Amino acid sequence: MACIFSQSFVPVCNGVNTEFFHSHTHLFRKFSNFSCFRAGPLIWDSANSGHGGSFARLRRSWTATGDGYRQSGFPVFHCVASSNGAPSASVERLSVLVIGGGGREHALCYALKRSPSCDAVFCAPGNVGISNSGDATCIEDLDVSDSSSVIDFCRNWGIGMVVVGPEAPLVAGLSNDLVKAGILTFGPSSEAAALEGSKDFMKRLCDKYAIPTAKYQTFTDALAAKAYIAEQGAPIVVKADGLAAGKGVIVAMTLEEAYEAVDSMLVKNVFGSAGCRVIIEEYLEGEEASFFALVDGENAIPLESAQDHKRVGDGDTGPNTGGMGAYSPAPILTKELQSVVMNSIILPTVKGMAAEGCKFVGVLYAGLMIERKSGLPKLIEYNVRFGDPECQVLMVRLESDLAQVLLAACKGKLSGVSLNWSPGSAMVVVMASNGYPGSYKKGTVILNLEEAEQVAPTVKVFHAGTTLDSDGNYIASGGRVLGITAKGVDLEEARDRAYLAVEQVNWPGGFYRRDIGWRALRTQKQHATEG
């Protein structure tokens, strides 16, 4: 059984053997004096919690607040039967803390909640969608930028593993501090996170260990960068060296666009320190794909294939975004091609990082270009965390115990681990605030999310940027706000279910792409015609 925290009026585990709860009395008792929960302190009712008894409800009175928590309820721990079956006695049970509050973290919480060996899932800061869905207990007031606060929380609550979702705390060194404190952490050290934190670092590693990537040069001087661009010609790619929230890559189709991109980064400092150094890279023609591998410092195992859509508009037009949708599996990443990626890109990177003295532990996300001419992959960039929205389609397809898999990575024991995936396909359609990735309005009301999830049992709504208004309605609080995800026997069925769910959502203040998966669906139709 796995224990989660949810809002419910039913007794805890009524009629279920309470031996497990007696062994975790310390965990439940701590709720009585923990004050970080959004809705106020919890009161543990110990009237029936003695030896041989059962845990009564954990009570909380919700008070009127500006963010809509006005009703009264009884959040409780309750038992959830896992479709994966109960773990054996030899499997290590643990509670997990997920760092982050977006759609990726919601997907991770969703998968961890389904893990048979996971007793409890916490998410900091999380979001109201994660909390209201029962996928995790959200600790809104935990300052994840303060390592000592995170360490204290882990020690007080018996956290067995921390899973760091976003790249910023990884680059800032949160994993370093947690590991030093003896807390198992899934996510690379700041030194290893430089694979994403600095594109120049990644490129130099590629040069040193013969990892195929686009030809490039690095510049800090705008005039020198422009001279190189004039020499190479357009189209060409201009990248900010550091973290720029997915917006630091400009694919310039003309020389003028490239010069403007250089000025925006090196002269106007649009991206701040992230753009004080730029990489000018050759333009590769082909199809982009996402490749994920779990890494334990020495070993790496691939995840199922996935592919996202970066451009904001239908037909892959307009500016780049953090991702407007994704699907899994990705037909372009055949088994043969996946083997090539592992042997020519992933494993040389893992070995190279170890040789450089900064072993990588976490998930390596390789952004690839499958070149049109050669059909071979080249590394565009590395991310050092799960992609968003690719994580959503991967997590709904994963059938293995995610907690145990990530724990094996933390302990350097991935060798021999295999993953089970549901057959068929999954698709996520991102709903974003009007104006994204430019300026957008916050606070627009979103209705009918329950109706969207009722379209089919395989539909799941992941929250990325939502909060509640004073009337208890969901409102948009970010650019990318929802990830409407569905599974199907094939990609076409997954698409139909996802878009049917999207159409249920009543949100005039949002928009979405209507062609997610178009390349893969076109390829499938071509194969069907040829067959």
Side-chain angles (χ1 to χ4, degrees), residues 99-108 127 130 165-167 196 245-246 290 292 306-311 320-327 363 365 381 383-395 428-431 436 462-465 479-485:
I99 301 293
R104 167 185 49 231
E105 289 75 39
H106 192 175
L108 290 170
N127 63 53
I130 296 174
E167 64 276 15
E196 179 172 1
S290 304
F292 299 88
Q307 190 164 358
D308 74 337
H309 293 262
K310 290 295 187 190
R311 301 289 186 129
N320 275 334
T321 70
M324 295 301 297
Y327 53 92
V363 61
Y365 164 14
E381 64 179 5
N383 293 321
V384 297
R385 33 68 186 185
F386 284 99
D388 185 347
E390 296 97 330
C391 187
Q392 286 83 315
V393 291
L394 291 173
M395 291 303 105
V428 57
V429 178
V430 170
M431 301 188 74
Y436 176 81
F462 292 112
H463 290 245
R480 292 188 298 161
V481 175
L482 299 168
I484 313 298
T485 310

Side-chain angles (χ1 to χ4, degrees), residues 274-298:
C276 66
R277 183 164 49 186
V278 300
I279 287 80
I280 312 297
E281 191 175 86
E282 73 170 310
Y283 175 79
L284 299 176
E285 290 191 84
E287 186 171 347
E288 291 189 42
S290 304
F291 191 94
F292 299 88
L294 301 180
V295 183
D296 68 2
E298 300 283 352

